[in-house]
Amino acid sequence: MLREFFLGSIKIHILYHAGVEPIYGSYMIEELHSHGYDISPGTIYPTLHQLEREGLLYREDKVVNGKVRKYYTITEKGQSVLEGAKQQIRELAREVLREEGDT
């Protein structure tokens, strides 16, 4: 159960950052690490590929220093999913973080 929650929040992070600028796997590993996630290439790359297959990310291959790097950008569908996730996060945060006595 915790793993599923973890993967869901990683996907939201990925969609968010892919909406800010094109991303690639090792960048996302570092970015997620800065938020306390310990994620391996064996998790990030299949997740990126899944989001691409689902039409939430668009992939563009570019040669960087003689190697092909896969850059991902959020799609219109991905943006819509991200907006829905943001709304759910807001509602959850309001409920879960509500102090006793708040109405």
Side-chain angles (χ1 to χ4, degrees):
M1 177 71 167
L2 188 56
R3 178 168 168 75
E4 289 177 32
F5 180 75
F6 173 74
L7 287 174
S9 61
I10 287 172
K11 290 176 183 180
I12 294 167
H13 270 280
I14 290 170
L15 290 175
Y16 170 76
H17 287 285
V20 173
E21 63 184 344
I23 59 165
Y24 52 95
S26 61
Y27 165 79
M28 282 309 304
I29 290 172
E30 290 175 23
E31 172 61 29
L32 290 165
H33 182 75
S34 75
H35 293 286
Y37 294 93
D38 185 21
I39 186 165
S40 71
T43 298
I44 195 71
Y45 292 107
T47 302
L48 289 168
H49 297 159
Q50 177 192 18
L51 293 172
E52 179 189 9
R53 278 192 311 275
E54 292 174 357
L56 305 177
L57 294 177
Y58 167 76
R59 188 185 87 208
E60 184 177 359
D61 297 344
K62 294 183 182 179
V63 177
V64 178
N65 296 327
K67 295 182 180 182
V68 175
R69 179 176 285 166
K70 296 173 179 149
Y71 284 89
Y72 296 89
T73 306
I74 197 166
T75 63
E76 216 172 286
K77 180 180 177 183
Q79 188 64 48
S80 177
V81 167
L82 178 60
E83 290 306 315
K86 285 180 180 181
Q87 182 59 36
Q88 288 181 340
I89 291 168
R90 282 184 200 98
E91 290 175 19
L92 178 63
R94 278 194 297 270
E95 182 175 340
V96 172
L97 299 177
R98 182 179 303 142
E99 297 290 327
E100 271 190 51
D102 287 354
T103 54

